């Protein structure tokens, strides 16, 4: 059973940085496509970034140039480096994975139903 565990959330002031981590376990091969999503209070969950096993990355327009998704196979961890944070980045952040399929789109993060496995989330709060 694949398990994903996020960490690294917290409270920061606008303009600050945070690095989220997602520790993955319970699989034989690293998932083909992994992603980060977020959900703000009263809003739908939205895709933030995704990455394939070949290293190709995809970002939502709202975070391009500020967030960087990466993965380290040696420590079975997915990361999201978030710089120049804004109050509108405040949300519960989730990581997600699909074991067998590459992220299918080049211009946007795959929708929620594409991903089979999900973590429990880590809270990010950005104050102005």
């Amino acid at each position: 059973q694949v398990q994903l565990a996020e960490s690294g959330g917290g409270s920061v002031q606008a303009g600050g940085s945070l690095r989220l981590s997602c520790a993955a376990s319970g699989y034989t091969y690293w998932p083909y496509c992994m992603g980060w999503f977020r959900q703000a209070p009263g809003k739908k969950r939205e895709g933030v970034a995704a990455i394939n096993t070949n290293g190709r990355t995809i970002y939502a327009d709202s975070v391009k140039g500020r967030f960087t998704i990466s993965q380290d196979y040696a420590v079975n961890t997915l990361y999201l480096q978030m710089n120049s944070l804004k109050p509108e980045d405040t949300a519960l952040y989730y990581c997600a994975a699909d074991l067998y399929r590459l992220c299918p789109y080049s211009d946007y993060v795959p929708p929620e139903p594409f991903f089979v496995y999900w973590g429990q989330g880590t809270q990010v709060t950005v104050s102005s």
Side-chain angles (χ1 to χ4, degrees):
Q1 179 70 20
V2 175
Q3 293 186 328
L4 304 174
E6 303 94 337
S7 62
S11 298
V12 296
Q13 290 191 326
S17 298
L18 282 174
R19 188 177 77 159
L20 305 184
S21 299
C22 173
S25 62
Y27 53 87
T28 301
Y29 300 100
W30 184 259
Y32 273 53
C33 178
M34 296 196 74
W36 286 99
F37 286 72
R38 66 186 181 187
Q39 188 168 20
K43 294 188 177 182
K44 291 183 178 180
R45 190 150 53 180
E46 63 172 348
V48 174
I51 186 168
N52 277 321
T53 50
N54 61 13
R56 181 170 61 86
T57 57
I58 309 160
Y59 296 95
D61 288 343
S62 58
V63 305
K64 281 181 181 176
R66 300 189 298 123
F67 290 11
T68 302
I69 188 171
S70 61
Q71 52 199 1
D72 187 338
Y73 303 130
V75 292
N76 300 326
T77 303
L78 177 74
Y79 300 103
L80 185 68
Q81 177 67 43
M82 305 186 296
N83 298 328
S84 302
L85 282 162
K86 305 175 181 179
E88 51 263 44
D89 295 318
T90 295
L92 188 60
Y93 282 72
Y94 301 88
C95 67
D98 187 275
L99 295 183
Y100 304 115
R101 298 175 292 177
L102 291 171
C103 305
Y105 312 114
S106 60
D107 296 330
Y108 56 93
V109 177
E112 289 182 66
F114 176 83
F115 293 96
V116 176
Y117 301 100
W118 291 82
Q120 295 299 308
T122 185
Q123 178 66 39
V124 172
T125 302
V126 184
S127 58
S128 57

